Amino acid sequence: MTDVLLTVGTRKGLFTARRRDGRWEFDGPHFPAQAVYAVGIDLRRSTPRLLVGADSAHWGPSVFHSDDLGATWTEPSKAPVRFPKDTGASLERVWQLHPAGPAAPGVVYAGTEPAALFRSEDEGETFELVRPLWEHPTRSRWQPGGGGEAVHTVVTDPRDPDAVTVAVSAAGVFRTLDGGASWSPSNEGVSAVFLPDPNPKFGQCVHKIAQDAGDPDRLYLQNHWGVYRSDDSGGTWTDIGAGLPSDFGFATVAHPKHADTAYVFPINADSDRVPAGRRCRVYRTSDAGGSWEALSRGLPEEDHYGTVLRDAMCTDGADPAGLYFGNRNGEVFASADDGDSWTQLAAHLPDVLCVRAAVVG
């Protein structure tokens, strides 16, 4: 089996795990007592760079990196992500660290709370605020979601480094086609059932977006009520939630190699945030949302209450795909066969906030 690195960000530090010859070994916690909401794995280098957004209750948030798969960590001497003084804002949390594609070497995006996008051109050493999004004319009408007002998802187009899509809680989807110089809301078809107008131009509470492996224009979106697909890079969206036990949830992941294949983890309701039907099940579509199948072999069969958050499910890029998710019970589960079967890797960790994995050997 391939050598895989798994990173698990929790409310009390980062845990790492390596799979060698089919066996997993865990290490950690790194950054003890710090909440880790964001991890990025940059595979564009000969040795992958790990990027971690850690949040110390004493020292505040920062971004660390490791060039030896987590054996040692470096924090830049100056805060790598910080708001310019004229904004009057200060960084509360880094929600997303996204290395851009090979067409943009060295570029890493950071999504933050307050809701902002930062761009690095030196592999995550320093970041600059993307001002046109921060100064967007709709910003004064953005509202925080339950977890705060944050840019929590970044999707880059592998064909065009100037095309970037972000999700903002709770302002919806915004896109740029000119490298961040201008941004447009891209929420047509996505509902906002909690607003007086359920179909606004912006204001949706988008929880996560994933990009299809076969067609970069095809995106999957998990909303605060509603699962959607776009076939035009987010220009318009179609509801594909039929067949799921609930269309509320946080996580959505696309298969890294197979077109039309994506995964979600349904949650009962916004007022009852436990697995749908109290059953620990991942759902997969292999026809771009035309139908869904429950994946539960090896997962707990009894009543289950572990909520999977928006960044707590991922793939490792392999084929068959390794799939991973962690929950707020502190459990981590893994599949090495596209989700057909699962094994529990860990239990009794702190709340799992994010997971990232990659083939490293």
Side-chain angles (χ1 to χ4, degrees):
M1 300 180 73
T2 52
D3 184 357
V4 172
L5 172 71
L6 172 66
T7 62
V8 181
T10 78
R11 197 169 295 279
K12 296 182 179 180
L14 175 76
F15 295 81
T16 61
R18 291 286 294 276
R19 187 185 72 191
R20 296 186 179 94
D21 300 323
R23 299 183 62 184
W24 287 95
E25 296 180 1
F26 269 78
D27 182 51
H30 308 268
F31 316 107
Q34 298 192 49
V36 176
Y37 280 81
V39 176
I41 303 178
D42 191 345
L43 298 174
R44 297 169 297 180
R45 314 167 88 251
S46 56
T47 300
R49 168 168 283 194
L50 308 187
L51 295 154
V52 166
D55 186 358
S56 166
H58 183 75
W59 299 108
S62 190
V63 175
F64 302 79
H65 64 265
S66 172
D67 294 329
D68 52 16
L69 300 181
T72 60
W73 296 92
T74 298
E75 181 183 17
S77 57
K78 293 184 178 180
V81 178
R82 54 181 172 177
F83 283 87
K85 289 184 178 180
D86 67 286
T87 64
S90 59
L91 180 66
E92 294 184 37
R93 178 168 294 133
V94 175
W95 278 92
Q96 184 82 165
L97 288 164
H98 175 80
V107 173
V108 177
Y109 289 99
T112 70
E113 180 185 352
L117 182 68
F118 288 77
R119 188 177 191 270
S120 170
E121 296 185 353
D122 55 11
E123 301 180 308
E125 301 271 354
T126 60
F127 290 83
E128 294 291 332
L129 176 66
V130 179
R131 281 188 175 269
L133 182 62
W134 176 256
E135 297 170 354
H136 198 273
T138 65
R139 170 174 286 277
S140 64
R141 289 172 284 167
W142 295 4
Q143 297 294 326
E149 187 180 286
V151 172
H152 57 69
T153 300
V154 180
V155 177
T156 47
D157 191 324
R159 304 161 301 184
D160 181 0
D162 289 334
V164 182
T165 301
V166 300
V168 185
S169 181
V173 180
F174 287 77
R175 293 192 300 160
T176 180
L177 300 178
D178 53 17
S182 63
W183 295 83
S184 300
S186 299
N187 302 288
E188 184 178 341
V190 179
S191 68
V193 296
F194 45 83
L195 294 178
D197 175 6
N199 297 293
K201 189 173 182 180
F202 65 93
Q204 290 82 350
C205 188
V206 175
H207 287 173
K208 199 64 187 175
I209 302 173
Q211 188 175 60
D212 189 79
D215 181 1
D217 290 328
R218 174 164 286 176
L219 304 174
Y220 303 96
L221 184 154
Q222 174 67 68
N223 197 44
H224 187 114
W225 293 116
V227 178
Y228 297 88
R229 187 191 75 230
S230 173
D231 296 325
D232 55 7
S233 296
T236 57
W237 298 89
T238 301
D239 191 328
I240 58 171
L244 292 168
S246 169
D247 63 3
F248 183 84
F250 295 99
T252 185
V253 171
H255 193 287
K257 304 293 184 181
H258 299 176
D260 302 334
T261 303
Y263 304 82
V264 295
F265 191 99
I267 302 298
N268 247 5
D270 49 3
S271 59
D272 186 21
R273 300 187 179 199
V274 300
R278 299 179 182 174
R279 293 293 180 265
C280 185
R281 293 174 295 185
V282 174
Y283 278 76
R284 175 177 63 199
T285 179
S286 301
D287 54 9
S291 61
W292 296 90
E293 60 180 319
L295 308 174
S296 60
R297 188 170 11 134
L299 295 177
E301 298 181 359
E302 65 278 5
D303 282 1
H304 201 262
Y305 300 91
T307 301
V308 177
L309 299 178
R310 62 169 52 93
D311 270 319
M313 186 163 69
C314 73
T315 73
D316 60 15
D319 190 9
L323 286 157
Y324 310 85
F325 71 88
N327 60 36
R328 301 197 71 178
N329 290 359
E331 300 165 333
V332 178
F333 297 90
S335 169
D337 54 12
D338 294 337
D340 289 337
S341 62
W342 299 84
T343 301
Q344 185 169 342
L345 299 186
H348 310 302
L349 298 179
D351 286 10
V352 175
L353 306 176
C354 65
V355 294
R356 286 291 182 270
V359 175
V360 293

